[in-house]
Amino acid sequence: MLGVGLGPFNLGLAALLDGVDETAVDGTGGDGAAGDGIAVEGDADGSVDALFLEQDAEFAWHEGMLIEGTTLEVPFLADLVTLADPTNPHSFLNYLRERGRIYEFYFYETFQIPRQEYDDYLRWVAERLESCRFGRRVEDVRWDGDADHFVVTACDPETGAEYVHRARNLALGVGSRPQIPEALRGHPEEDVFHTAEYRFRRDRCLDADSVAVVGSGQSAAEVFLDLLDRQPEAGYRLDWLTRSPGFFPMEYSKLGLQHFAPEYTRYFYDLPRERKDEIRAGQDLLYKGIDPDTSAAIYDMLYERSVGDRDPDVGLFAMTEVGDIEAIAGRYRLDCEQWQTRESFSLDADAVVLGTGYGRPTPAFLSPVEDRISWDERGRYRVTEDYRLVTDLAGDVFVQNGDLHSHGVGAPDLGLGCFRNARIVNRLLGREVYPADEDTVFQDFSVEQYVERAPGASRRGVDEPNSLSPDDP
Ligand SMILES: Cc1cc2nc3c(=O)[nH]c(=O)nc-3n(C[C@@H](O)[C@@H](O)[C@H](O)COP(=O)(O)OP(=O)(O)OC[C@H]3O[C@@H](n4cnc5c(N)ncnc54)[C@H](O)[C@@H]3O)c2cc1C
């Protein structure tokens, strides 16, 4: 198995594969090979032969957004391994034990750990795993039909050194990329930048007379809160604009969060393809809004700053699309439209922070095998229920966090990483190494499941929900 990219998802796969005995293989997959330049059939000690390549020189998790005071949006139990295997040595609790912090955490009494600590935990796991290699950017993936394996070429971005790896199976864990709309690009990146760069470029904001933040996802809200906190000392005017109809919270109720459980993923997967995009379009606030705690912190700070008729020198304006940014006399003019009333206006700022989200472009290194992959009518991979690309190749290509269109809103969620990785490991080894987790939450999502369990319910009429275009071949 060769993994491309080391974010939390492929790192979790590396952790769940660590120490797993391959010798009991009895079914599909299982003959993965990834050694440094040579094809081998599992390691001599019987463990799975896996290698994970990361382009960066060392592990880092969204470094530009490790703002002081921010926390993970999921409980610490959503670490790399616990939800699949609570006894695994790569767990967050074991990290605390080994770092000598377990009592400190015990008295902390909080499920949501600091984001900086989650990053430190991931680095700790990456250092312990022999299967992780850094400074290797995958540039090309080909299929060798004679040898029946992939040939993967990687290079060290710093030295230019080239590495060739061979593997029967791949796991794509390349994550997402910061996205800036075309019309807002082309300005000096020290002045106009994505939230992903915030911590590296914050000083520019602190020197500015005015700063504008664009977007109303969690990242934009965290940047706004941080700038609001620093405003009294730095003295800038602070504006926050968003195209969304309001500064709305993301779902955080216990029953609502069950959409991030295996059952909902399965239900969504089984929906006809044509319905999935429609349904997802209405689910933005399940995962794209503002954490209610961040929202409350912003509100409370504004409240305190406005005591005694004081003006916090802040503007918050929703329903507003920033269509263009123009450089004028050393400042930036934002061309805005309030889309509900169709009124246009402009806003001048010295620095602009763009919380315009992340995209998931198809990696260019797949070009040589592009015509062996099956794509849907919108140019996206077709993905099987167990997270493999639909291809005509003999090896498996698993996809992490590129399955939003096929598996739904849980795809980028850290809490579902273990479930997806357990499915991948089970497929690779052809046996149930980790539990399949079929009945995990109180509610049902499919009629079939509900009717089966509710004594008073029975099916009526013709039910052919999957007759349109399921993803599976
Ligand atoms: C700021 C921020 C905070 C978040 N917080 C949460 C949260 O609290 N809870 C939650 O559930 N979700 C959260 N998310 C969403 C979650 O999906 C991400 O946190 C998570 O990092 C995604 O993991 P990943 O493994 O898919 O990719 P990434 O973490 O993006 O990692 C992908 C890696 O692949 C590498 N790579 C890319 N191309 C190549 C190549 N060709 N060769 C080699 N390496 C390559 C990249 O350098 C990168 O290191 C957050 C997202 C962001 C942006």
Side-chain angles (χ1 to χ4, degrees):
M1 150 67 73
L2 187 121
V4 186
L6 271 168
F9 295 133
N10 260 355
L11 186 60
L13 180 58
L16 286 175
L17 280 173
D18 187 38
V20 167
D21 187 358
E22 197 191 19
T23 47
V25 171
D26 59 28
T28 52
D31 52 350
D36 270 7
I38 38 155
V40 288
E41 302 269 319
D43 273 0
D45 63 358
S47 62
V48 177
D49 183 22
L51 197 69
F52 291 81
L53 309 181
E54 165 58 44
Q55 62 189 355
D56 292 343
E58 60 178 52
F59 189 91
W61 181 65
H62 302 308
E63 231 180 340
M65 278 300 289
L66 293 181
I67 302 172
E68 304 76 0
T70 55
T71 64
L72 207 56
E73 294 298 317
V74 286
F76 74 90
L77 291 165
D79 66 10
L80 298 175
V81 293
T82 297
L83 290 171
D85 173 16
T87 65
N88 193 295
H90 304 300
S91 70
F92 179 73
L93 288 178
N94 196 36
Y95 151 84
L96 290 173
R97 155 58 67 199
E98 299 236 336
R99 280 271 198 261
R101 268 167 76 77
I102 199 146
Y103 275 89
E104 273 133 358
F105 182 66
Y106 165 63
F107 291 114
Y108 186 55
E109 287 197 4
T110 306
F111 261 38
Q112 262 83 17
I113 55 171
R115 206 181 284 159
Q116 290 183 346
E117 187 171 35
Y118 180 65
D119 174 66
D120 191 57
Y121 156 67
L122 297 179
R123 287 171 189 260
W124 174 80
V125 177
E127 275 165 24
R128 285 156 56 96
L129 291 171
E130 281 177 17
S131 56
C132 298
R133 298 281 186 286
F134 291 87
R136 294 199 193 178
R137 179 165 55 217
V138 169
E139 306 217 301
D140 187 90
V141 168
R142 287 166 201 272
W143 178 253
D144 179 338
D146 296 328
D148 254 5
H149 59 219
F150 290 100
V151 179
V152 176
T153 310
C155 88
D156 183 330
E158 271 172 32
T159 64
E162 198 177 274
Y163 302 88
V164 179
H165 302 274
R166 297 165 215 286
R168 170 75 169 182
N169 306 297
L170 301 181
L172 309 179
V174 295
S176 54
R177 281 205 217 133
Q179 192 170 256
I180 298 182
E182 185 80 47
L184 311 187
R185 292 183 206 156
H187 300 287
E189 50 191 36
E190 25 328 329
D191 293 340
V192 181
F193 55 86
H194 194 274
T195 48
E197 294 284 304
Y198 177 67
R199 237 168 41 106
F200 310 126
R201 308 209 178 274
R202 180 167 58 193
D203 284 351
R204 168 66 189 111
C205 296
L206 302 184
D207 280 345
D209 288 332
S210 57
V211 184
V213 178
V214 178
S216 60
Q218 178 60 13
S219 291
E222 285 173 1
V223 166
F224 181 79
L225 176 59
D226 190 60
L227 289 171
L228 186 61
D229 188 32
R230 294 163 191 273
Q231 187 194 30
E233 207 175 312
Y236 38 70
R237 158 82 190 176
L238 183 57
D239 285 281
W240 189 11
L241 304 175
T242 178
R243 186 173 59 179
S244 303
F247 297 93
F248 293 127
M250 97 172 97
E251 179 61 49
Y252 221 82
S253 69
K254 293 181 184 184
L255 290 175
L257 282 180
Q258 296 197 333
H259 279 79
F260 299 95
E263 267 98 322
Y264 185 76
T265 305
R266 275 198 198 94
Y267 160 75
F268 188 88
Y269 183 82
D270 284 342
L271 289 168
R273 250 201 337 264
E274 290 77 354
R275 294 238 48 215
K276 292 186 186 182
D277 293 326
E278 236 173 85
I279 291 170
R280 241 180 5 91
Q283 291 182 323
D284 276 5
L285 289 179
L286 273 180
Y287 67 118
K288 282 191 180 166
I290 305 170
D291 179 314
D293 288 343
T294 311
S295 180
I298 290 170
Y299 189 89
D300 294 354
M301 208 176 277
L302 286 171
Y303 185 79
E304 205 184 306
R305 294 266 172 88
S306 57
V307 169
D309 210 21
R310 283 187 299 158
D311 179 3
D313 204 13
V314 161
L316 277 81
F317 204 55
M319 304 162 285
T320 294
E321 169 127 26
V322 178
D324 197 9
I325 296 180
E326 217 184 326
I328 292 179
R331 305 188 80 199
Y332 299 94
R333 179 155 296 168
L334 280 63
D335 180 10
C336 309
E337 189 195 29
Q338 203 283 23
W339 53 263
Q340 286 190 353
T341 58
R342 303 221 170 118
E343 288 168 279
S344 300
F345 65 97
S346 66
L347 171 74
D348 290 352
D350 297 316
V352 185
V353 191
L354 299 167
T356 42
Y358 290 78
R360 289 176 180 75
T362 303
F365 58 72
L366 285 180
S367 300
V369 287
E370 207 173 62
D371 56 355
R372 312 292 302 268
I373 298 171
S374 177
W375 307 90
D376 74 8
E377 59 290 341
R378 293 177 63 175
R380 302 170 298 196
Y381 317 115
R382 292 182 67 216
V383 187
T384 66
E385 209 241 332
D386 57 0
Y387 306 101
R388 289 171 293 125
L389 299 191
V390 178
T391 70
D392 64 0
L393 302 166
D396 286 338
V397 184
F398 297 97
V399 63
Q400 306 255 30
N401 195 5
D403 49 333
L404 192 64
H405 61 290
S406 55
H407 288 69
V409 286
D413 190 82
L414 296 174
L416 274 169
C418 272
F419 171 68
R420 184 168 47 214
N421 279 329
R423 295 295 308 271
I424 296 176
V425 174
N426 292 351
R427 159 79 192 180
L428 269 176
L429 278 94
R431 63 188 159 96
E432 194 174 300
V433 181
Y434 296 107
D437 278 337
E438 299 208 319
D439 183 10
T440 57
V441 291
F442 298 120
Q443 59 187 302
D444 296 313
F445 294 102
S446 72
V447 172
E448 189 187 354
Q449 220 168 35
Y450 180 68
V451 168
E452 202 178 287
R453 296 170 194 189
S458 55
R459 279 193 115 132
R460 288 196 307 151
V462 185
D463 288 308
E464 286 183 35
N466 302 333
S467 58
L468 284 167
S469 321
D471 279 277
D472 254 331

